[in-house]
Amino acid sequence: MPDRISNGNAANIALKIIAAGIGLCVFLLTTGCWDSKEIQDRNFVLVAAIDDADIVNKSEADKQKAVTQTFVQKQGTKEYMLSLQLLNLAKTEGKGGGPQAQRTFVFSNIGKSLFEMNRDILGQSSKSLYWEHLSAIVISEAAIKKQGLLPIIDFLRRDPEMRWRTKIFITPGEARAIAQYIPPNGEAGGRYLDGMLKNHKKNIHTAGAKTDIGFISQAIDNDADYAIPRLDYTDNVLKLGGLALFKNNTLVGYADEYITQGIRYIYGTERSAIISAKCPEHPDDEIVFELFKNDTKFIPHIEGDNIYFTLDITMRGNIGEINGIAKHDINDLAFLHRVEQAIAQTVSQNARDAWEFQQQLGIDIPNTKARLKGAHPFKWKSFEDRWDEIYPTIPLIVSVNVNIQGIGEHD
Amino acid sequence: MANLEAKDKMSPWQLGLVITSGLLTARLLPTTTLLIRDAQQFGWLSSALAGLLFYFAAYLMIRLGQQFPEETIGEYVPRLVGKTLGFFIFLIFITIPLLNIINCGITITSLYSTFLFDQTPRVILLITLLLTVIYCTLQNWGTILRVIQILIIALPMLYMFYSLIWINFDLLNLLPLWPDNFTGILQPIPYHTDYYPGYEALLVLLPLASRGKISFARAVGWGFLVVTFMYVLGIIVLVGSLTVKTGAMVSTPVIYAMKSVELPGTFIERLENYMITLFFPVTYISMVISYFVVAEGCRKYFKCKDHRTFIPIFLPLIFFVSIFVDNPERHAILIKFSMFLAMFFSFIIIPLLLFLAWRMKGRTQRCPTE
Amino acid sequence: MGSSQHYRFHKLSTVQPNSSTLETLQKLKKLQNLVQQSKVAAANIRQVIKALDKVAAQAGQPFLFSKCLEINERLVRNTLARCDDVKYRTFRAGQAKALLVYINGLTDTNKLETNVIDCLMLVIDSAKYEKRQISKAENEDASKGPHDSFNETLSDNIALVRRRTKDSDLKVEILEIGARTKTSVALLYIDDLVKPGLVDEVRNQLLAIRIDMVILAANIEEFLTNQVWNPFPNVLATERPDKTVAGLYDGRLSIIIDNSPSVLILPVSLQDFMQSVDDYTTRPSVASLIRFSRYISAFLAIFLPALYICVVAYHPGMIPSGLSFFIAELRAKTPFPASIEALLMEALLEIFQEAIIRLPQKLSAAAGVVGALVIGTTVVEAALANALLVVVVATTGLASFCMPSYTFATALRVFRIPALVAAATLGLYGVAIFFVVMIVYLCSLHSYGESYLGDLFDITLLEDWKDGLLRFPAKFLKSRPKRLGTIDKTRKGDTSGKS
C-alpha cells in the first residue's frame, strides 16, 4: 500500500502545519478580534452637514457653544462647521404616552479638515463614528463660497468607507438646521432626505439621477459642469426643488424649478413629468399632460463652421387634468392634436429657455463639450481652444412630438 | 486506503481549466488604473492584443513541452543549455510563480485591509492566507485539481456581480472612437502580465495531463479566449461607467465601479464587499497553482519523491518578501520587476529554448542516417 | 496478532532493506498496476465464460442443462458462485439423484419441510430464534415508495434484497467477523457491474478487522476508513432495501451485518448523502429544486451564524440601512458581544437537539414545545440574545435537519463552531478562508479512489452532473455514476449481454 507509506511522510508535515494553524488560532484569539466592532457600538452617521464656521456668530448662545465644539489647531483657520446627524439607538419606546426620545441627534464641530473634525467629535460621543450608512450630505452655500466644493468633498470620496451613491444637497441657508430637522413621520432624518431625492423619478422639479457624490466626483475628474439638488429650509419647512449649478469647483448659480425641468428635458432624464399648457381654445384654462414615456435624442452637429445641437423629444402620456371651467370637446381628434401641439410648444420653449439660461451662465450641464468631442473628434481639435467663446453662441434646435394616448377616466 | 484509480492525471480540458483559472486574479485591480491611464478608452483593445500575445507565449510553451513529453522544464533545460545556464533558467522559471504568489498575496491582503477592515495589520491577513494556500498545496495534484474545479465557480459569480455595472454604462464615456495617440494602446501591453499571469505553469503541468480528443493548445486557447473576452467586455463597461479620467484617478477602478452600483430594494448592499470576497477564491486558485508549480518543478529538478518537501522551504521567502513590500514605492518596483521577468522569460527565453530544442531534435534525427 | 493470515503489514525497509524507497515505491506501483490489470482481466474472463455458457442455452436460462447431475450442479454453482445465501442439498429421490437449490430466507422453510423434505427425510435449517417483524422504516420514511425496512435478521435482510432482483449476478458473500461474537456479515454486490478490485479491497478490509465483538453496524463502519477523525460519514447507512438495491445497481457494495437493521452502502461521496428516495418519486423539476435547496441548506447549516457575526460585528454596511439600524437597536439591548451571544445560542440549540433525541417520543414533543416557545422568547426578553439571532440559530438548526442522512447532518454541526470562531476573529475574510479550507478538506477525503466532494464538479464526469446538484428526468439518466468506474457503464441491460 504505497499511499499509506507516502501518507506517513505527508502526515508529519500536515501535522506540523495543523500545529502551526492551531498556534495561529490561539494567537488570533488572544490578540483579539481584528477590527471587530459590534453594530450597537457604532454611531451611524446619517447626515453630514457642512457650514461656514462663521455661522456661530449669528447668535450669542452659539458663539459660547462654539468655544467647546472645537479644538486647538496649529495650522489653518477655522473654516467649516461639521454637523453630524447620528442615529440614536437607546430610543425609548415611549410607552403610555411618555415623551419619545428623538430618533437622531446632532453633534457639531469647527475646524478645517473634515476628517479631523470627525475625530474630534469623538470627544462628545460615547461610541466611534461610522460613515458606511451615510445617507445625505448637506452643504451650505456659505461653506462653498469659501474655497469651493473640492476641499469639502475630498474626504468623502477619498475614504474607502464611503458609498458612492450618497445623496448630496446644497442649501442657501444653514446646513446644520437641516441635520437637526426631525421628520414628521419619525423617520431618521438622513433616510428622509434620501427618500425625498429618490422621488426625482416623479418630481421633475429636482434632479436625482446623476447628482450623487459618485457622479459629481466623475464630473469633477472630467472637468465637466454639474448640478446638485437644492434644499431649502425655513422655519421647520423642508423643501427640495431646483438645482445648484457648478462649474469646476465654484457655485455659479441656481436653476429654479422651471429651468431644472428644461435641463432634464435636454438630458432626457424625465421619466415622468407633469406639463401644463394653455388650452388652445380657452386661454384661461390649463390642460395638464402627464408624461410617462419619452424618447430623447440630443445630437451635436458640425456643418462647416456651423455648430448646433438638435434635440428631438417624443413624449407619450395622458391628459392628466383640465383645469378650467370651459367645456372642452376632448374626444375631438383635431382638438387633441392642437393640445398636443400646445404641449410640445411648452416643452420646446422650456428646453430653449434652459439652454439659454445655461449659456448665459456659461455652464454646461448636459456636457455638450464631451458630446461634440465624442462625435467629431477631428473637428473638435480646430475649435477646442475657443470653446468658451463658442459655447454661448451654439443654437439648440428643438423639435418635440407629443402623443396623447389617453384622456383619463372621467371627462 | 488504496487509491483504486490513478486520478492524478488530467484531461486536456482540465488542463485548459487550470490555466484559465490561474489567469484572473486580484492582481489586475491596481494595474487597471495604469491601463486606463495609458490606453484611455481603448483599454479593451490593449487587453485583446495582450491576450493574443500571451496566448502565443503559452502556445510556444506547449510546443516546447511537446518536444519533451513526460518531462518538466527542470529536467530538459540542463540538457539543452548546459548545467549552469540550465540552473539559471530554472531559477528564473520558479521565480515567476513565486512572484505571482507574492503579488497576489499583497494585493488581496491590502484589498481586504482597506475595504473590509479598518487598516488591519497586513501580517495577520497574510499569515492566514499563506497557511490556507499551503494546506491546499500539501495535497496531491488530484485533490488540488478538484479543489480548483469547485472554487472556479466563484469566477462566473464574480463576473456576474461585475456585470451589474452595466447599469451605470454611458456610451458617451467611451467616445470618441478614435484614439488620440496609438502608442497609448500598445504601451500598457506589458502591464498585462498582471492580467494573464501563471500560464508558465504549463511547463510543469503538461506531463500531468493525458492526451484526449482535443489538443492542449486548443484547450488552453479556449481558456485564453474566454478570459480575454471577459477582459475586453469588462474594460468596455468599466470605462463606460467610470469615465477615463476617473478610472485613471482611483486606486482600484473595478472596486469603485462596483461601489457605484446600488440595487434598491434588494437585501444586499455594498456590492464591492461581495466582489472582494469573491476575488478571494479566484486569487487563491492562482496562488495554489503557482505554489504547486514551484514545488513540483523543484521535485522534478532535484529528483525528489514528494513535492511537499519544497513547500515549507519557500514559505519564509514568500512571507518576508510580502512583508517587506509595504509601501507604494517598493510595490511599484516589485510589479515592474515581475513584469520584466515574466516578459523576459516568455518572449526571450522560451523562443530560444524552443529553437534549441528543434535544433537538437534535428541533429539527433540526422545522426542515425549519417 | 497471532493469526493474521490475510494481511501482514511491514515496514518497507524491512522487506526491501537494500533498495531506496523511491525504487521500491516504483516497484510497488508496478505490482499494483499488474494486480489491478489482472483483476480487470479476470472480470472480463468471467463475462466471457458466462456468455459462452449461454450460447447453447434456451431463452431465459443461463446455460444448457445436461442429463448429468454433477455437470448441472457445477454449472449452477458456477453461475451462483459467491452467493452464500443459496443452499444446496443433494438427496436421492427414489432411484435418481436430486439436487435441491434454494435461497435461504426467500423460501418458507416450514412449507419446504412439510411438502418436500419430510418425505425425503432431510434436515434443513432447524435453528429458530425470536425476531422482529419487517416493519416501516422509522428513520428514513419516504412519502412515496416502498415502506418495508430491514430488521435485525441477516437472512431476512438478504431476502429483502433478493426479492427485488432476480439477477444471478447479485453475489452474497457471508463472512464472520468478531473473534468472540462471530457475527455474520454479508457482502453484497453485482458481480458484472462493480469496479474490478473494489470487492477484493473491501473484503480484505473486512477480514483484517480484529475485534472481539460486532454489535453495531458502526463497529464495522469505522474500520473501513483511514481518516478516523473525519466527522463526515464515508459509508451510507440505510434501513431501506430499495435504496440498497439502487446502490447495488449503481455499482456499489453493500454490507449487511447480522443483528443490525442498518445496512452499509459504499463507496459513497458527499452527493450521495444529499439524495433521498423522494427525489426519484417526485417530478424531476421539483426534485431538482429540492435537491439544490438541500445543498444551500448544508451551506447555511455551517455558515449562517458565522455570516450573522460578519454582518453584526464587522460589516454592517453590507445590509440596507433600515435593516442595519433595526439590528443595531435590537442589539443595543443585549449585553454580550455578538460572538458570545451566538455561541450561547448554539449551545442552547445543541442541548435542545440532544434532549429531544434522548427523551422518549411522547416527552420529546413536550420538550420541543418548551424549548421552542418558552426559552426562545424568554431568552429574548431576558436580553440574553436578540430576536434576529434566535431566527438565525433556528434556521441553522432547521437547515441541518434538511439533510437526508442524520450522520451527515451531525458532521455539519461539528463545523459550525469553527466557522463562527473564524468569523469572530477575521470577519468575512475569516469566513472566506474557512470556506476554502472546508472545500480543500472535503476534496482531500477519499473513499476508494473517489474524492468526497471533488467529483461533484469534475468536468471529466459531466454525465454524473445529471444526477448531482440537480436531478434530470429518468430519460437522461442512462449511465451509471461514471465516478464509480463500473464495468457496465450504461443502464440499458441489453448491451452487457444480459438477457
Side-chain angles (χ1 to χ4, degrees), chain C residues 249-269:
Chain C
Y249 281 101
D250 280 346
R252 298 177 215 269
L253 276 70
S254 81
I255 299 172
I256 308 182
I257 292 117
D258 201 8
N259 302 323
S260 164
S262 72
V263 168
L264 309 179
I265 301 176
L266 74 168
V268 281
S269 51

Side-chain angles (χ1 to χ4, degrees), chain A residues 19-20 22 43 131 134 157 231 237 284 299 301 346 364 382:
Chain A
I22 292 170
N43 256 338
W131 292 64
L134 182 67
R157 59 181 194 156
L231 201 54
V237 175
D284 290 343
I299 300 167
H301 298 270
T346 318
D364 177 16
S382 62

Side-chain angles (χ1 to χ4, degrees), chain C residues 87 110 132-133 141 154 182 235 272 278 335 373 399 440 479:
Chain C
K87 304 286 178 197
N110 285 331
R132 185 163 65 95
Q133 286 302 307
D141 204 9
L154 181 67
K182 303 228 182 295
V235 296
D272 301 306
D278 282 335
L373 289 177
V440 178
S479 61

Side-chain angles (χ1 to χ4, degrees), chain C residues 192-412:
Chain C
D192 58 348
L193 281 184
V194 69
K195 180 159 64 174
L198 182 61
V199 177
D200 298 334
E201 172 75 23
V202 176
R203 192 193 297 122
N204 286 337
Q205 274 185 343
L206 287 174
L207 291 173
I209 297 175
R210 296 270 167 270
I211 46 173
D212 66 340
M213 59 165 200
V214 176
I215 308 285
L216 309 164
N219 292 145
I220 302 282
E221 191 182 327
E222 283 195 19
F223 284 94
L224 296 175
T225 176
N226 266 356
Q227 297 128 339
V228 284
W229 289 102
N230 164 26
F232 286 98
N234 68 331
V235 296
L236 181 65
T238 181
E239 52 179 355
R240 299 185 61 89
D242 50 339
K243 211 169 170 176
T244 313
V245 174
L248 289 174
Y249 281 101
D250 280 346
R252 298 177 215 269
L253 276 70
S254 81
I255 299 172
I256 308 182
I257 292 117
D258 201 8
N259 302 323
S260 164
S262 72
V263 168
L264 309 179
I265 301 176
L266 74 168
V268 281
S269 51
L270 187 133
Q271 43 188 319
D272 301 306
F273 291 96
M274 292 294 193
Q275 299 177 356
S276 132
V277 178
D278 282 335
D279 289 358
Y280 299 95
T281 58
T282 44
R283 308 298 299 171
S285 45
V286 182
S288 300
L289 209 64
I290 293 175
R291 194 180 279 177
F292 190 69
S293 68
R294 235 176 252 148
Y295 279 90
I296 293 175
S297 306
F299 175 82
L300 291 182
I302 300 177
F303 287 102
L304 194 60
L307 291 176
Y308 165 81
I309 291 187
C310 284
V311 167
V312 164
Y314 282 90
H315 322 292
M318 284 172 72
I319 45 174
S321 302
L323 184 63
S324 197
F325 300 160
F326 178 68
I327 296 174
E329 278 163 12
L330 281 180
R331 294 276 297 118
K333 291 172 199 151
T334 57
F336 300 121
S339 45
I340 303 291
E341 196 185 7
L343 277 172
L344 197 99
M345 284 307 286
E346 271 307 313
L348 264 182
L349 179 70
E350 293 299 315
I351 292 171
F352 284 154
Q353 288 186 27
E354 194 56 22
I356 288 169
I357 287 171
R358 295 290 150 247
L359 274 175
Q361 235 172 24
K362 276 181 190 164
L363 285 177
S364 73
V369 173
V370 172
L373 289 177
V374 181
I375 301 202
T377 45
T378 42
V379 153
V380 174
E381 273 177 23
L384 289 174
N386 68 73
L388 181 73
L389 179 65
V390 175
V391 174
V392 165
V393 171
T395 313
T396 316
L398 281 179
S400 73
F401 297 152
C402 286
M403 299 299 110
S405 157
Y406 178 70
T407 344
F408 187 76
T410 49
L412 296 181

Side-chain angles (χ1 to χ4, degrees), chain A residues 151-332:
Chain A
I152 297 172
I153 69 161
D154 187 86
F155 166 63
L156 301 168
R157 59 181 194 156
R158 198 176 292 276
D159 198 287
E161 203 174 295
M162 302 299 164
R163 295 175 181 231
W164 264 36
R165 290 281 90 98
T166 306
K167 310 282 186 291
I168 180 164
F169 302 92
I170 301 291
T171 177
E174 189 183 321
R176 184 181 55 175
I178 293 173
Q180 282 164 341
Y181 173 71
I182 291 150
N185 62 357
E187 222 177 326
R191 304 305 305 155
Y192 196 80
L193 292 179
D194 181 67
M196 271 165 81
L197 194 56
K198 273 187 185 148
N199 289 334
H200 74 87
K201 285 171 192 163
K202 295 229 163 186
N203 178 6
I204 199 160
H205 292 156
T206 185
K210 302 237 170 190
T211 55
D212 53 33
I213 192 156
F215 282 112
I216 285 168
S217 198
Q218 275 181 20
I220 293 173
D221 293 343
N222 286 284
D223 284 334
D225 303 341
Y226 51 94
I228 300 178
R230 169 185 166 145
L231 201 54
D232 284 288
Y233 180 76
T234 36
D235 202 15
N236 218 18
V237 175
L238 193 65
K239 172 73 166 57
L240 185 64
L243 292 170
L245 305 176
F246 282 79
K247 190 169 190 64
N248 290 329
N249 189 17
T250 46
L251 177 65
V252 180
Y254 290 104
D256 57 18
E257 283 84 353
Y258 176 70
I259 298 295
T260 307
Q261 196 161 346
I263 292 174
R264 286 186 68 178
Y265 289 146
I266 298 172
Y267 225 120
T269 58
E270 74 279 21
R271 297 221 196 141
S272 169
I274 301 299
I275 302 158
S276 60
K278 255 185 205 153
C279 172
E281 284 168 9
H282 312 88
D284 290 343
D285 293 1
E286 268 197 356
I287 294 189
V288 179
F289 173 74
E290 183 197 1
L291 167 82
F292 49 69
K293 191 167 176 6
N294 80 311
D295 181 19
T296 304
K297 287 196 180 72
F298 181 52
I299 300 167
H301 298 270
I302 302 180
E303 280 169 14
D305 281 347
N306 261 346
I307 303 170
Y308 63 94
F309 274 76
T310 53
L311 178 68
D312 290 306
I313 309 177
T314 308
M315 291 179 158
R316 274 177 213 152
N318 283 343
I319 297 284
E321 185 185 352
I322 299 176
N323 196 322
I325 42 168
K327 181 73 191 153
H328 303 272
D329 187 7
I330 202 126
N331 288 319
D332 177 13

Side-chain angles (χ1 to χ4, degrees), chain C residues 93-204:
Chain C
Q95 289 296 311
K97 272 206 279 179
L99 176 70
L100 179 71
V101 184
Y102 67 95
I103 297 176
N104 196 15
L106 269 187
T107 330
D108 187 334
T109 37
N110 285 331
K111 277 188 186 157
L112 199 66
E113 230 164 287
T114 48
N115 297 346
V116 187
I117 316 292
D118 270 0
C119 37
L120 301 167
M121 310 258 284
L122 275 169
V123 182
I124 296 193
D125 196 0
S126 59
K128 193 149 177 80
Y129 38 81
E130 287 307 313
K131 63 179 186 185
R132 185 163 65 95
Q133 286 302 307
I134 291 165
S135 57
K136 226 176 149 180
E138 282 191 1
N139 298 324
E140 316 174 59
D141 204 9
S143 47
K144 276 185 189 174
H147 291 297
D148 55 345
S149 75
F150 291 121
N151 65 5
E152 286 79 9
T153 317
L154 181 67
S155 58
D156 285 0
N157 291 351
I158 296 174
L160 279 174
V161 175
R162 271 278 186 220
R163 214 181 65 193
R164 285 180 160 75
T165 169
K166 296 178 179 63
D167 194 344
S168 63
D169 281 314
L170 169 63
K171 302 296 178 198
V172 181
E173 290 183 32
I174 297 181
L175 317 167
E176 261 183 15
I177 301 176
R180 287 172 189 276
T181 57
K182 303 228 182 295
T183 311
S184 302
V185 172
L187 182 64
L188 277 72
Y189 55 93
I190 307 292
D191 197 26
D192 58 348
L193 281 184
V194 69
K195 180 159 64 174
L198 182 61
V199 177
D200 298 334
E201 172 75 23
V202 176
R203 192 193 297 122
N204 286 337

